[in-house]
Amino acid sequence: MSKFDVFISYSRRDTAVVDKICNALSKQNVTFFIDKKGLAGGGEFPAELEEAIDNSHLVLFIASQNSYKSKYTRGEVSYAYNTKDKGNIIPYVIDNSNLLDIKGMKLIFTNINIRNINEHPIEITLMKDICDLLGKSYEEPDTIVEEIEKKNKDILAEFKRIQTEEEQRIQEEIKKQKEKQEELLRKIEEEKIAELRRIEEISKDKERWEEEERKIREEEKNKIIEEQKAIIEAKKMPLKKKQDKCYFIAIVTITLTFIIGIWLGIKCHSFWIGFTIFFSPSMLSLVIPDYYDYKLKEIEGINNKDHISGAFCVAVTALALPIAVWRGLSNESFWDGAVVFFWSLAFCGLVAYIYDQIFKSKKSNDA
């Protein structure tokens, strides 16, 4: 019998997967033996299968639920276990079963590298492992290269798609953030404008309140002034009446003294007698209304105490003149009368000057 690189132990129910494995072995120029004639259809394990296992470098066990149930595949595996090195037996699981959980398999395959179709694809990992064990160079099939290139292209396309989506997401996020910032700035500007308007309204309200308060104070001030004027007028009314009476008496006095003075002057053939009779009572009659005028100004709050000195001078002059005339007529000397009159005026002036100085000094201290 010929020598083979690989003996394939399998269940006929897994023929679809086994055909793929055979095609892949052929592409790698790996020779293999596979029972497609049903040599194990008899009762005993055929000698031809024993010879094929002996003449094969490796034994590839296609493990599945189907092969576990086949007594022939179990026989092939058992024979290989007894005659081959463990490193030359390759268990390859093609379904989701756990080989070591199968009764009778744990003893055989413990400490053996178990491969499965999901993690170890046929044309890539399985073929490469078989070539390495046989010492042959592994050639990647064109389909694998194409698949790899296709996968790479798909990965690149997927990466570009993800990158584009990420860029779009970032742009949208930037746009949203920009819109949020613009909205925030707009709200801040609106709040600023509203605050400025509120401050302006408060300022206007304050000005209006101050103006109203100023008007109220002005009205109250005017009212107080009017009340004070009314009070002053009420206080002045009795004095004005008395002053008017005094002015009436003064007019009557001046008129009478003027007539009497003329009459006595003519009768006594003396100007000074007539003038004295007229002047002295007339001046004295004017001093009393002048006093009331001083009191009225005092009620108004006008400080006119300097007016007293004038009234004093008028009164002294009115009294000094008849004395001077009497003195002159008694001594039959004009100069005696003149001296008395002028000394009276000097005394009056001195008293008025002293009074004025005292008043001015007090007024300056008050200020």
Side-chain angles (χ1 to χ4, degrees), residues 47 72 148 157 179 203 217 220 251 281 314 358 360:
Y72 302 108
I148 293 172
E179 290 176 353
S203 179
R217 287 199 303 267
E220 290 178 352
I251 292 170
V314 172
I358 293 171
K360 290 179 180 178

Side-chain angles (χ1 to χ4, degrees), residues 253-263 274 277-278 282:
T253 302
I254 291 169
T255 303
L256 291 175
T257 55
F258 178 74
I259 296 170
I260 294 170
I262 292 174
W263 178 73
I277 295 299
F278 165 71
S282 298

Side-chain angles (χ1 to χ4, degrees), residues 157 159 172 206 210 251 272 282 324 343 345 353:
F159 174 77
E172 290 177 357
K206 183 180 178 182
E210 289 177 350
I251 292 170
W272 291 108
S282 298
W343 272 110
L345 291 179
Y353 174 76

Side-chain angles (χ1 to χ4, degrees), residues 122-136:
I122 295 172
E123 293 186 349
I124 301 175
T125 309
L126 180 61
M127 293 300 106
K128 189 174 185 303
D129 290 346
I130 291 174
C131 290
D132 290 342
L133 290 172
L134 294 173
K136 293 185 177 184

Side-chain angles (χ1 to χ4, degrees), residues 4-7 56-60 87-90 130 133-134:
F4 300 99
D5 293 323
V6 179
F7 177 88
S56 298
H57 187 72
L58 301 175
V59 174
L60 177 62
N88 292 337
I89 300 174
I90 303 173
I130 291 174
L133 290 172
L134 294 173

Side-chain angles (χ1 to χ4, degrees), residues 85-340:
D85 186 71
K86 279 189 175 184
N88 292 337
I89 300 174
I90 303 173
Y92 190 66
V93 182
I94 61 173
D95 56 15
N96 294 324
S97 62
N98 188 349
L99 180 59
L100 298 179
D101 290 341
I102 306 302
K103 186 177 180 180
M105 295 295 176
K106 186 174 183 180
L107 176 65
I108 298 173
F109 294 105
T110 299
N111 298 326
I112 293 179
N113 185 14
I114 301 173
R115 300 163 178 81
N116 63 74
I117 195 169
N118 295 323
E119 296 179 2
H120 306 83
I122 295 172
E123 293 186 349
I124 301 175
T125 309
L126 180 61
M127 293 300 106
K128 189 174 185 303
D129 290 346
I130 291 174
C131 290
D132 290 342
L133 290 172
L134 294 173
K136 293 185 177 184
S137 60
Y138 169 72
E139 295 181 2
E140 291 184 355
D142 294 338
T143 56
I144 301 299
V145 174
E146 291 175 358
E147 287 180 2
I148 293 172
E149 289 179 353
K150 184 177 181 299
K151 286 182 179 180
N152 289 336
K153 288 180 180 180
D154 292 341
I155 291 170
L156 183 61
E158 181 66 15
F159 174 77
K160 287 182 178 180
R161 183 187 67 78
I162 294 172
Q163 186 179 26
T164 303
E165 290 178 354
E166 185 66 18
E167 289 177 355
Q168 291 176 352
R169 188 189 66 79
I170 292 172
Q171 292 294 330
E172 290 177 357
E173 187 66 25
I174 292 172
K175 185 179 179 181
K176 288 180 180 178
Q177 291 295 331
K178 188 176 180 181
E179 290 176 353
K180 287 181 178 179
Q181 289 179 354
E182 291 176 353
E183 180 68 17
L184 181 61
L185 291 173
R186 185 182 63 78
K187 288 183 178 179
I188 292 172
E189 189 66 23
E190 289 178 353
E191 290 177 356
K192 184 178 178 181
I193 293 171
E195 183 66 17
L196 290 174
R197 288 178 179 173
R198 189 179 68 83
I199 292 172
E200 185 178 357
E201 289 176 357
I202 291 173
S203 179
K204 288 181 179 179
D205 291 339
K206 183 180 178 182
E207 291 177 358
R208 186 173 66 254
W209 293 337
E210 289 177 350
E211 182 64 21
E212 291 176 355
E213 187 177 358
R214 187 188 64 77
K215 289 180 179 180
I216 291 170
R217 287 199 303 267
E218 190 70 23
E219 290 176 357
E220 290 178 352
K221 182 179 178 181
N222 293 334
K223 185 178 179 181
I224 291 170
I225 291 172
E226 292 297 328
E227 289 176 354
Q228 289 178 348
K229 284 182 179 181
I231 293 170
I232 290 170
E233 289 297 326
K235 289 181 179 180
K236 285 168 65 178
M237 188 60 65
L239 293 176
K240 282 186 176 182
K241 289 180 179 180
K242 291 180 180 180
Q243 188 184 40
D244 292 341
K245 290 179 181 180
C246 289
Y247 275 126
F248 177 75
I249 293 170
I251 292 170
V252 172
T253 302
I254 291 169
T255 303
L256 291 175
T257 55
F258 178 74
I259 296 170
I260 294 170
I262 292 174
W263 178 73
L264 285 176
I266 294 171
K267 186 176 181 181
C268 296
H269 302 287
S270 174
F271 169 77
W272 291 108
I273 292 174
F275 181 73
T276 300
I277 295 299
F278 165 71
F279 181 77
S280 294
S282 298
M283 291 299 103
L284 289 173
S285 66
L286 291 173
V287 169
I288 296 174
D290 195 56
Y291 166 76
Y292 283 113
D293 188 59
Y294 161 74
K295 296 300 288 184
L296 289 171
K297 289 183 179 179
E298 189 177 35
I299 291 172
E300 293 177 0
I302 300 173
N303 196 343
N304 61 339
K305 290 185 178 181
D306 54 343
H307 190 66
I308 296 174
S309 61
F312 175 75
C313 290
V314 172
V316 171
T317 303
L319 293 172
L321 183 61
I323 295 171
V325 172
W326 174 77
R327 179 71 177 174
L329 292 175
S330 297
N331 295 332
E332 295 182 356
S333 173
F334 170 77
W335 293 108
D336 285 347
V339 169
V340 171

